[in-house]
Coordinates of all heavy atoms in Angstrom, one line a residue:
G109 N 114.0 82.7 100.7 CA 114.3 81.3 100.5 C 113.4 80.4 101.1 O 112.2 80.5 101.1
A146 N 108.6 76.1 106.4 CA 108.9 77.5 106.4 C 108.3 78.2 107.6 O 107.2 77.9 108.1 CB 108.3 78.1 105.1
L198 N 68.2 71.8 120.5 CA 67.9 70.5 120.0 C 68.0 69.4 121.1 O 67.2 68.5 121.2 CB 68.9 70.1 118.9 CG 68.7 70.9 117.5 CD1 69.9 70.7 116.6 CD2 67.4 70.5 116.9
G226 N 81.8 67.2 117.3 CA 81.7 67.1 115.9 C 83.1 67.4 115.2 O 84.1 67.4 115.9
V282 N 63.3 78.9 115.1 CA 62.0 79.6 115.0 C 60.9 78.5 115.1 O 60.9 77.5 114.3 CB 61.9 80.3 113.6 CG1 60.6 80.9 113.4 CG2 63.0 81.4 113.5
E285 N 58.5 73.7 117.6 CA 57.5 72.7 117.7 C 56.9 72.4 116.3 O 56.3 71.3 116.1 CB 56.4 73.1 118.7 CG 55.6 74.4 118.4 CD 56.4 75.7 118.6 OE1 57.5 75.7 119.2 OE2 56.0 76.8 118.1
W296 N 71.7 73.5 108.2 CA 71.7 74.9 108.5 C 71.3 75.7 107.2 O 71.7 75.3 106.1 CB 73.0 75.4 109.0 CG 73.1 76.7 109.7 CD1 73.3 77.9 109.1 CD2 72.8 77.0 111.0 NE1 73.3 78.9 110.0 CE2 72.9 78.4 111.2 CE3 72.5 76.2 112.2 CZ2 72.7 79.0 112.4 CZ3 72.3 76.8 113.4 CH2 72.4 78.2 113.5
R315 N 73.6 73.0 77.5 CA 73.3 71.8 76.6 C 72.9 72.2 75.2 O 73.3 71.6 74.2 CB 72.3 70.9 77.3 CG 72.7 70.2 78.5 CD 72.1 68.8 78.8 NE 72.4 68.4 80.1 CZ 73.5 67.8 80.5 NH1 74.5 67.6 79.7 NH2 73.6 67.4 81.8
T317 N 73.7 75.1 73.7 CA 74.8 75.8 73.1 C 75.9 74.8 72.7 O 76.6 75.0 71.7 CB 75.3 76.9 74.0 OG1 74.3 77.6 74.5 CG2 76.3 77.8 73.3
R322 N 79.7 67.7 78.3 CA 79.6 67.1 79.6 C 79.6 68.3 80.6 O 80.3 69.3 80.5 CB 80.8 66.2 79.9 CG 80.7 65.5 81.3 CD 81.8 64.4 81.4 NE 81.9 63.9 82.7 CZ 81.0 63.0 83.3 NH1 80.0 62.6 82.6 NH2 81.2 62.6 84.5
R330 N 72.9 74.5 93.9 CA 71.6 74.0 94.3 C 71.3 72.6 93.8 O 71.8 72.2 92.8 CB 70.5 74.9 93.9 CG 70.5 76.2 94.6 CD 69.3 77.1 94.3 NE 69.6 77.9 93.1 CZ 68.7 78.1 92.2 NH1 67.5 77.5 92.2 NH2 68.9 78.9 91.1
S342 N 84.0 68.1 94.3 CA 84.8 69.2 94.9 C 85.7 69.8 93.8 O 85.8 69.4 92.7 CB 85.7 68.6 96.0 OG 86.6 67.7 95.3
E351 N 91.2 67.0 83.5 CA 92.4 66.2 83.1 C 92.0 64.9 82.3 O 92.5 64.5 81.3 CB 93.2 65.8 84.3 CG 94.2 66.9 84.7 CD 94.7 66.7 86.1 OE1 94.7 65.6 86.6 OE2 95.2 67.7 86.6
I384 N 86.9 74.0 77.4 CA 86.3 74.1 78.8 C 85.7 75.4 79.0 O 86.4 76.5 78.8 CB 87.4 73.8 79.8 CG1 87.9 72.4 79.6 CG2 86.8 73.9 81.3 CD1 89.0 71.9 80.6
A390 N 80.7 83.5 87.6 CA 80.8 83.2 89.0 C 82.2 83.6 89.5 O 83.2 82.8 89.4 CB 80.6 81.7 89.3
V424 N 89.8 79.4 122.1 CA 89.1 78.6 121.2 C 90.1 77.6 120.4 O 89.6 76.7 119.7 CB 88.3 79.4 120.1 CG1 87.2 80.1 120.8 CG2 89.2 80.4 119.4

Side-chain angles (χ1 to χ4, degrees):
L198 289 171
V282 174
E285 61 290 347
W296 193 267
R315 292 211 192 277
T317 314
R322 181 166 171 78
R330 289 188 272 138
S342 66
E351 275 163 19
I384 299 180
V424 294

